[in-house]
Amino acid sequence: MNESKEIKRKIERAALAGLSAASMDASERSTDISMEELAALVETAGGEAVGAMVQNRATPEPRSFIGDGKVQELKEFIQANDCDLAVFDNELSPSQMRVLQEDLGVKVLDRSGLILDIFAQRAQTREGQLQVELAQYKYLLPRLTGMWTHLERQEGAMGTRGPGETQLESDRRHIRRKIQKLEEELEAVRKVRSTQRRAREKNAVPVVALVGYTNAGKSSILNRLTDAGIPANDRLFDTLDTTTRHLRLENAQEVLLSDTVGFIRKLPTQLVEAFKATLEELTYADVLLHVIDLSNPDWESQAEIVDGLIRELGAEDTPTLRVFNKCDRYFGILPHGEDVVCVSARTGEGMDALTEKVAALLNRGKHHAVLRIPYQRGDLVDLLQREAAVLKLEYAEDCTVIEAVVKPELWGRVKEFAAEVL
């Protein structure tokens, strides 16, 4: 019995495979970089990447994806290296996955399935677990027929966490009912978020959202600025659940700083859809902080992927500050520009400049002024307290003295009382 448990706990050895086909979209092709990332994902999931091979051909082979010759080569590698599974860098169709499992004689995962497995491990809050579970069921639904008969019930094995193992014998109707129930629960989450958002807007508390590629250092920056105490390890998808903390800027303005799930190339569409309850916060943020790992040689490609997902979520018009993190590990010419800042979350370098630029972005187009409002215009004092960022309020002999940052649409109503524009 103890020996059996030891077998189940053993680290799974994975052979990696990818396809670079001329007919594929460039973002879907396997490259050295995407294969290195796949190996890191396997290790994040608790496995060991033993070796990798990439097939180059004009088009994917409809039956076996990489072609029968390459499948045979992969099978020989798996047998020679005692591998437990094969992980593909590309998304496989249900029929291709079945064929590959039969031909290779081991469990087969594609990149989407592997990322879903990692998310299943990492989700801590009920909301995060709901989102991952929904994504997993949507991924499983077209793959139910036949493929699950090849999976062994191994405790903790990659690709069998979450709903997969408990739903092997369930029919599509049951899965669809489960999906509907999860969608209803997530819609309730959206309504709660909407209520919270309206409360923030009423209190005029700006929201600053951290976005970026996974492992770029978003949580480390949140910790550095707010003492949030979030575990920030050097691994992919270390933080899934959104964390929000208060941050006071130098001009005494208070904002909500929110960390979001990291992005990655070839992020499963099921996950993007399921996490919209969380990610839609980006579309309501006043400022986005796009965190980029400057020490990563592939940072430009990673930044493009994040920009694409920001556009997909409809947040491309939100003012954005590019935050180049890990600048202490970079020895070239540092990026510069009005909406660019270089920082090191590890050493604290650049954090003052970061908060200054956040304040400047929040106040862009706004008017920072000292207003002397006559007591008979108490309606304007109430309006400023509702709609502006009031930094200081004092009562003089004949008026209320207010220092505030005022939005352009409100400035026309109060500018005649401006004693000083700062």
Side-chain angles (χ1 to χ4, degrees):
M1 186 70 177
N2 290 338
E3 185 180 345
S4 174
K5 286 186 177 180
E6 285 301 315
I7 292 172
K8 288 178 180 177
R9 286 198 204 104
K10 83 180 181 96
I11 294 175
E12 290 180 283
R13 293 167 59 82
L16 312 185
L19 176 65
S20 178
S23 64
M24 284 178 162
D25 185 273
S27 63
E28 295 300 318
R29 295 174 195 157
S30 293
T31 63
D32 289 344
I33 290 173
S34 72
M35 295 301 289
E36 287 173 12
E37 196 171 77
L38 186 66
L41 286 167
V42 167
E43 290 172 11
T44 297
E48 177 188 358
V50 178
M53 58 180 65
V54 175
Q55 169 72 312
N56 294 294
R57 51 183 295 141
T59 60
E61 206 281 315
R63 178 183 176 277
S64 63
F65 191 64
I66 57 175
D68 293 344
K70 204 68 174 179
V71 169
Q72 184 59 35
E73 183 183 337
L74 181 59
K75 181 175 182 178
E76 291 170 2
F77 179 87
I78 287 169
Q79 292 173 341
N81 291 276
D82 193 27
C83 295
D84 305 285
L85 74 161
V87 182
F88 281 74
D89 187 43
N90 322 83
E91 185 158 345
L92 302 172
S93 71
S95 62
Q96 287 167 343
M97 194 172 283
R98 286 196 297 273
V99 164
L100 286 165
Q101 286 185 159
E102 289 170 3
D103 289 355
L104 295 173
V106 294
K107 180 173 59 180
V108 171
L109 279 179
D110 61 11
R111 188 183 181 99
S112 293
L114 180 60
I115 292 174
L116 286 167
D117 184 79
I118 293 167
F119 272 55
Q121 293 181 55
R122 295 289 165 79
Q124 298 296 318
T125 66
R126 178 58 183 154
E127 180 186 351
Q129 290 164 353
L130 282 173
Q131 291 171 128
V132 174
E133 194 175 357
L134 175 61
Q136 285 184 307
Y137 279 125
K138 286 186 172 181
Y139 175 81
L140 291 179
L141 186 59
R143 293 168 170 81
L144 285 175
T145 307
M147 69 171 289
W148 297 112
T149 59
H150 303 282
L151 292 183
E152 294 178 1
R153 290 179 173 270
Q154 289 190 339
E155 181 183 305
M158 282 188 285
T160 61
R161 298 182 182 94
E165 189 175 65
T166 60
Q167 294 295 330
L168 302 187
E169 301 80 15
S170 298
D171 60 12
R172 286 188 176 89
R173 186 178 301 171
H174 180 80
I175 297 287
R176 290 194 181 101
R177 281 200 302 266
K178 187 69 176 173
I179 287 173
Q180 182 180 354
K181 182 174 182 294
L182 288 165
E183 287 176 335
E184 289 170 357
E185 289 188 60
L186 282 171
E187 184 57 36
V189 169
R190 281 194 175 95
K191 289 178 180 175
V192 170
R193 284 190 178 276
S194 179
T195 302
Q196 292 171 339
R197 193 181 303 118
R198 284 196 296 271
R200 289 201 305 263
E201 290 169 351
K202 184 178 178 181
N203 294 326
V205 181
V207 175
V208 178
L210 290 156
V211 298
Y213 209 78
T214 181
N215 207 30
K218 299 182 303 299
S219 297
S220 297
I221 288 174
L222 183 69
N223 286 339
R224 173 64 70 170
L225 291 174
T226 67
D227 296 322
I230 302 168
N233 301 304
D234 186 16
R235 60 185 183 184
L236 306 183
F237 297 120
D238 196 53
T239 306
L240 285 190
D241 298 303
T242 301
T243 303
T244 302
R245 294 289 186 271
H246 286 268
L247 171 65
R248 188 170 289 274
L249 304 176
E250 287 188 359
N251 62 359
Q253 185 177 12
E254 189 170 270
V255 302
L256 291 174
L257 186 61
S258 185
D259 188 13
T260 60
V261 63
F263 297 146
I264 197 170
R265 56 172 52 82
K266 307 180 189 178
L267 192 65
T269 54
Q270 298 95 338
L271 269 180
V272 176
E273 185 64 34
F275 270 77
K276 277 189 176 175
T278 300
L279 294 174
E280 70 179 4
E281 288 292 293
L282 299 184
T283 64
Y284 294 98
D286 297 277
V287 167
L288 298 182
L289 301 185
H290 180 175
V291 180
I292 300 167
D293 178 1
L294 186 58
S295 70
N296 191 312
D298 192 41
W299 70 261
E300 290 180 88
S301 172
Q302 292 182 350
E304 287 176 8
I305 289 162
V306 174
D307 287 337
L309 285 164
I310 288 172
R311 286 192 297 273
E312 185 179 336
L313 293 163
E316 66 271 24
D317 294 328
T318 305
T320 301
L321 180 63
R322 286 200 158 203
V323 182
F324 287 91
N325 189 28
K326 307 183 186 179
C327 65
D328 55 314
R329 301 183 191 173
Y330 182 75
F331 302 102
I333 298 173
L334 293 174
H336 60 279
E338 184 181 6
D339 292 336
V340 169
V341 63
C342 293
V343 305
S344 169
R346 187 178 67 84
T347 67
E349 179 184 349
M351 289 298 161
D352 288 343
L354 172 57
T355 55
E356 287 171 11
K357 292 215 172 193
V358 169
L361 262 182
L362 285 169
N363 296 328
R364 187 174 290 176
K366 298 179 182 178
H367 301 271
H368 184 187
V370 176
L371 304 156
R372 298 180 67 86
I373 311 292
Y375 282 125
Q376 59 266 35
R377 295 304 310 271
D379 60 310
L380 291 181
V381 175
D382 292 339
L383 181 64
L384 286 165
Q385 289 181 312
R386 287 197 313 272
E387 303 291 341
V390 174
L391 307 179
K392 191 184 297 183
L393 187 149
E394 296 175 346
Y395 297 101
E397 187 175 334
D398 60 344
C399 65
T400 305
V401 182
I402 296 178
E403 181 185 346
V405 178
V406 185
K407 293 181 284 191
E409 57 267 31
L410 181 58
W411 180 245
R413 298 182 61 180
V414 299
K415 66 179 180 180
E416 65 179 288
F417 302 109
E420 183 182 3
V421 178
L422 303 174

